[in-house]
Structure formats: C-alpha cells, structure tokens
Amino acid sequence: MKKLVLVFTFCLLQLFCAAQDHTDDALAYQYYQQGQFQEASLLFEKLYKKSNNETYFELYFSSLLKIRKFEEAEKLVRKALKQNPKNLNYGIALGRLFQEKGQTQEANKQYMEALSNLPADEFKIREIATQFYNFQAYDLAITAFLQGRKLLKSNKPFTFELLSIYRYKKDKQMLIQEYLEALPEMPQLLPQAESVFATVFEESSDYQLLQSALLKKIQKEPQTEIYTKLLIWQYLQQQEYEMALRQLIAQDKRIKDDGGILYQAANTFLTNQAYPVAIKAYEYLLLKGKENEYYLPAKLELINTRYELLIAGKYEKNAIAELVAAYQSILDEYGKTPQTIFALKKWVNLQAYYLNHLDTAEKALEEAIKIPGLPLTELGQLKLDLGDLYILTQQPWEAILIYEQVAKQFENLAIGNEARYRSARLSYYQGNFAYAKSQADILKASTSQLIANDALNLSLLISDNLQSPTDSSALKMYADAEMLEFRNLSPQAMAKLDSIDIAFPNNSLQDDILMAKSKIFLKDSDISQAITMLKLLTEKHNSSIWADDALFILGGLYENNLKDTEQAKAVYQKLINDYPGSMYTTEARKRFRKLRGDIIGT
C-alpha cells in the first residue's frame, strides 16, 4: 500500500512539473512577443537549463542580446560551444554577439567559419540559412543556400527560399535569374513569376532586364517554350503588342497550336484598344481554315475590331460600307435571331450615325424588337436605341413614349433609370429645362453611380446657367450643339459651340463649352487639341462640375496615349487631393499607385 501511495505521489509530482513547464513556456513566449525581454530571459533560462533544448537556447540568447547582457550571453554561448563544438548554430550565435558588440571582423570570421563547415545535408543547410535569415542577415542566408547547392551538386534545392529572399530584397537581377533557372523544371511557377515581376518591377528598364535575360535563354534553348511564354507576357506588360504578336505567331507555328493561345491574346489586344494588332491576330487565325474551331469566333471578332477602330477615330466611307456589308453577311447567313442581335445592333449604328440612313436603321430596329426569344434586358436596350433614332428622325414624342415604356417595364432597375435619364436629356435638347432638371434631380439618387453622376451633371448644368435670359438663350445654343454631336455631326456641333461666345460674350458656359469641345476632339482622335481644352478647363475653372471629369480624362490621355507617366501621376494626384468626393477618386488612386510601382492590394 505504501508503495502504491509513493507511485501515485510521484506521478502527481511529474504532472505538476509538466504543467508548470507548460505554463512557463507559454508565458515566456508571450513576454518575448510583447518585447518584455527581461522577463522572457528569466523564464527561458529556467526552461533551457532544465531541457537543454536548442529552441530555448536561441530565445534565451536572443533575449540577452536584446537587453544587452553581453557578458552573460557570451558565457552561455561559449559553454554551449564547449559542450558541442560541431554545432554550427552556436558558432553563428557567437558571431551575432560580436556583431551586437560592434566587433564586425570577429563576427564575420565566425560566420565564414560556419559557412565553410556546411555539411552536404539539405536539412542542415536550410537550418543554418534560416538562422541567418532570422536575424536579417539575408546576404549570408543567400550565401548559405548557394554554397549548399555546390555541396549537393544541384541547383534544384532551395529555389523557393531564394526566390523569397530576392523578392524581399528587390534584387531584380537575381530574382529574374532564379526564376529562369527554375521555370523549365517547374513550369507551374509561371503565373507566380508573372505576378511577382509585376509587383517588384518599378520601371520599364526592369522589364528590359527581363527581356534581355529571356532573349539570351531563348537563343541557347529555343526548344524551352516556357521562356517564350514569359517573353510574350513581358511584351504585353510593356504594351509592345506588335512584338508580342510576332512571338505568338512564331510560337503557334512552332508548337502547331490550335490557335487558342493566339485567340486569347487577340482578345487582350482588343481590350487594350490595340486595334491594328488585334486585326492582324484575327486575320492570322482565319488562315487556319474554316474547319478550325476558332475560325468563326475570330471572323466575328475581326469585324467587331474593325468596328471599334472605326468608331474610335476618323473614318472613311468605304471602310463603313465594308463593315456594313460584313455585318449584313452575318445576318444573311444566320438570320435575325437572339444570337445575331449583336451584329444587327452594330449594323444599325453604322447606318444611322455614320451613313445617315436613318429610315433604314429605324425600320430595322422596329423589326428587331419583334424577334422572338430576346432576353428582356436586350429588348429594353433595343427600345432605348430606337428611342434615340426617333430623336434623329425628329419624332420626339415617339422617343418619349418608348423611353417611358422602358422606364415602367424596368422600374428601379439600371436600364429603367437609363430610360428616364434619356427622357430628361431629350427635354433638355428641346429647351424644356425646368422639366429636364426635375427629372434629373430624381435620378440623382439612382443606384447606378454612372447614371446618378450624369443626372447630377445635367441638373447642375441647367441650374448654373439659368440665372438670366441671356444664360437661358446661351444654354439653348449649347443644347443644340450637344444635339448635333449626338447626331454625329461634329463639325456643325463645333461651329455651334464657337458661336455661343460670339452671340453671348459673357455667358456662364465657358467650362461646359471646353468640356464639349474636348469630347469632340477625342472622338476625332485629335489628342493634342483635346488635352489643350481639358488643361484650360482644369486651370481656369477648378470649381466646375466638369473639373474632376476633365482631370480623370487628362490623366488617362497622359498614361495611355502619350505614355507620360510623370504627367499622368501628377494629374491623378491632383484629382485625389482636390476632389476627394469624386466618383473617379478610387480609380485615380489605383492608377496612381500602379504608375508609382506600388504592390496593388496592399
């Protein structure tokens, strides 16, 4: 019985001691994390002496260094070295002590000794490198990994560790080198590499560094397809679309691809408004023949791209006629169905706004809304387009009726609010300013920010320019000019805008006229004149309702058209600072950070 009691008592003591150690361990870690190193050192000393555990040694030693108890730390590390002279961690710890005391030469001697005695053991090498990494000796950690590769006679180990350090240090040269060495063996790393380069690279020279390295690799290893893929990505990032297409076509021929990669790239060119390059890409895909799965999609996108190119700038009658014929061939071959409505809408747009065949376009839309099986929103959009055509054919009451029909059918939905806005805009064109303003005021609370912003601008335009009979007459001329531009009659619209100042020299529409002119110049691809108008607006009318719009457009022109990063940043910064409540502020901040080289999402 006495023996049983003794055994039971011993077990209780063991459990009590284990519980006490667990409590000390948790408390010691808490002290250390909170920066209470004096308290942490006392507990870690107790735990280390009891267990002789290397983890406790490291934390105890680090705590002593933090509270600058160098003498105590030296005794600790020298005792550990005496007991285990082959443990490289203790030699590194002694180096850290010398470093903290300012004895750099002695510290480096210890580090070099540890590195020269690295074993050909992947686990041990990683442990030593991590030791250096933990006290931010990143170059020594890199040296340990590279020395380890030599010992292991392989460049495959430690890839992820080195990539992490190079990225942290923003060592772009070595980051590029490490990825290019790793990608042939691990092609799944390509998306990661692209993401890392996009966040680390700050200037075009960084991309040039990557391009140079890739071209050398491709010259030596032309069969390694992953390098070509990364090179194409690099060209796309730099908006060198012609070069990207050249590489894509070469790759397509080399690997005898079905065209899927090139088709996706062509869509990217289209999204980035590189229309001539997109056209070349789609034309190449058509050469693969009608039996290719991308033939029909490429053919349709080719027509659409030519359409986008046409409406983005100056156009010629023969180009319009060719597009009309292309869309007509689609409708003839596949009929007027919900699947071909996209072609019909663009065909109508060309007929109405570019060829001035208003009756033809109107009749086509009236027939289109009778096509069975159309989605409701598509039907609603067709009716809105028809309402616009009624304006062009001078049938304002028909336009109002169809707008109101859509507004009621899609009550409280975006398309319904759009219909109400178009109805208000028509009243404005007609000079019925009071009614137009009352409708715009209702729409200011629209859930769609774009519609709400348009409604707000219309409301303010009217209220700001109806202070006197002169203002009212000037506003009517301005509305007429906007109506002319709506009808795609840019020269007449510009002439009308110029005549406002002549007829009413002291009118209050100066900022509105500048904004309207900038839009006409942009439509005609006259970037220089558009910038002149926008700069005048932002400099002379900084309290205008158009000031933030003008800055946002101006920033986009500098960024995308003129490739002037510094000017774009300056304009976006002004928008962010001067107009914090603008609907464009969030996007301007995002663009500014991207141009500055920030890691977006942090």
Side-chain angles (χ1 to χ4, degrees), residues 424-436 462 466 472 475-477 479-480:
R425 185 182 62 187
L426 175 55
S427 297
Y428 159 72
Y429 287 154
Q430 293 175 309
N432 191 350
F433 298 134
Y435 179 76
I462 296 170
L466 282 182
S472 178
L475 183 59
K476 182 65 180 76
M477 288 184 72
D480 290 342

Side-chain angles (χ1 to χ4, degrees), residues 431 433 465-481 496 499-500 503-504 507-509:
F433 298 134
N465 296 288
L466 282 182
Q467 307 303 318
S468 69
T470 297
D471 292 335
S472 178
S473 299
L475 183 59
K476 182 65 180 76
M477 288 184 72
Y478 181 79
D480 290 342
K496 179 70 76 170
S499 68
I500 296 174
F504 307 100
N507 70 81
S508 57
L509 285 156

Side-chain angles (χ1 to χ4, degrees), residues 325-343:
Y327 284 123
Q328 185 65 60
S329 69
I330 293 172
L331 297 171
D332 290 342
E333 186 173 353
Y334 299 100
K336 295 174 182 177
T337 69
Q339 288 70 39
T340 60
I341 201 69
F342 74 94

Side-chain angles (χ1 to χ4, degrees), residues 50-299:
K50 192 166 187 177
S51 65
N52 207 33
N53 183 291
E54 277 194 38
T55 302
Y56 289 139
F57 167 85
E58 173 59 31
L59 291 166
Y60 176 33
F61 178 73
S62 294
S63 298
L64 292 174
L65 292 185
K66 295 285 186 183
I67 57 179
R68 304 189 70 79
K69 288 190 175 181
F70 296 142
E71 189 175 332
E72 194 173 330
E74 186 166 354
K75 286 180 182 177
L76 173 68
V77 72
R78 289 198 181 278
K79 183 179 178 182
L81 266 172
K82 189 175 181 180
Q83 291 174 346
N84 196 348
K86 292 184 179 179
N87 190 321
L88 301 181
N89 290 323
Y90 297 140
I92 294 170
L94 184 58
R96 282 179 64 195
L97 175 63
F98 287 139
Q99 187 174 316
E100 290 290 332
K101 290 167 69 175
Q103 297 171 278
T104 307
Q105 190 172 347
E106 289 85 347
N108 287 336
K109 182 181 177 182
Q110 289 296 322
Y111 297 150
M112 291 305 107
E113 186 176 337
L115 289 170
S116 63
N117 287 306
L118 279 176
D121 181 320
E122 186 174 335
F123 176 80
K124 289 289 184 184
I125 294 164
R126 185 173 280 107
E127 184 182 34
I128 296 303
T130 303
Q131 183 88 335
F132 285 126
Y133 184 88
N134 287 340
F135 64 90
Q136 299 176 357
Y138 302 119
D139 289 334
L140 290 169
I142 290 169
T143 304
F145 284 130
L146 295 179
Q147 177 68 15
R149 281 180 169 179
K150 289 180 182 178
L151 291 169
L152 297 171
K153 298 178 181 178
S154 173
N155 284 330
K156 292 181 182 179
F158 318 124
T159 294
F160 295 102
E161 292 89 343
L162 285 166
L163 286 172
S164 178
I165 298 173
Y166 292 143
R167 181 181 181 182
Y168 180 81
K169 289 185 65 188
K170 287 197 173 183
D171 188 337
K172 297 160 190 173
Q173 182 78 56
M174 293 307 298
L175 189 64
I176 290 169
Q177 182 178 313
E178 191 64 32
Y179 267 120
L180 296 195
E181 290 297 327
L183 282 170
E185 293 288 334
M186 294 182 282
Q188 69 274 15
L189 281 181
L190 182 60
Q192 182 199 98
E194 293 171 350
S195 175
V196 169
F197 289 146
T199 55
V200 171
F201 289 176
E202 299 164 312
E203 301 172 351
S204 59
S205 58
D206 297 330
Y207 285 98
Q208 292 301 316
L209 203 64
L210 173 62
Q211 180 184 321
S212 178
L214 280 167
L215 290 173
K216 287 178 182 176
K217 283 287 186 183
I218 291 170
Q219 192 173 13
K220 290 181 180 178
E221 306 171 43
Q223 75 286 353
T224 307
E225 205 59 48
I226 198 76
Y227 293 145
T228 303
K229 289 181 180 179
L230 187 55
L231 181 63
I232 292 166
W233 174 84
Q234 186 271 151
Y235 285 134
L236 290 174
Q237 291 298 109
Q238 288 296 95
Q239 298 182 356
E240 295 179 10
Y241 301 123
E242 286 281 1
M243 294 298 294
L245 179 59
R246 209 174 296 174
Q247 288 293 331
L248 282 161
I249 291 174
Q251 176 186 261
D252 182 83
K253 290 177 178 177
R254 192 166 53 249
I255 66 175
K256 295 181 173 57
D257 189 52
D258 63 355
I261 297 171
L262 197 49
Y263 182 74
Q264 293 301 322
N267 292 342
T268 301
F269 300 146
L270 178 57
T271 302
N272 288 278
Q273 300 179 2
Y275 301 127
V277 185
I279 287 169
K280 289 179 185 177
Y282 292 128
E283 285 176 339
Y284 173 82
L285 286 168
L286 294 183
L287 296 175
K288 288 181 175 287
K290 291 186 177 181
E291 67 282 356
N292 184 273
E293 65 176 300
Y294 293 100
Y295 180 84
L296 183 57
K299 183 178 180 180

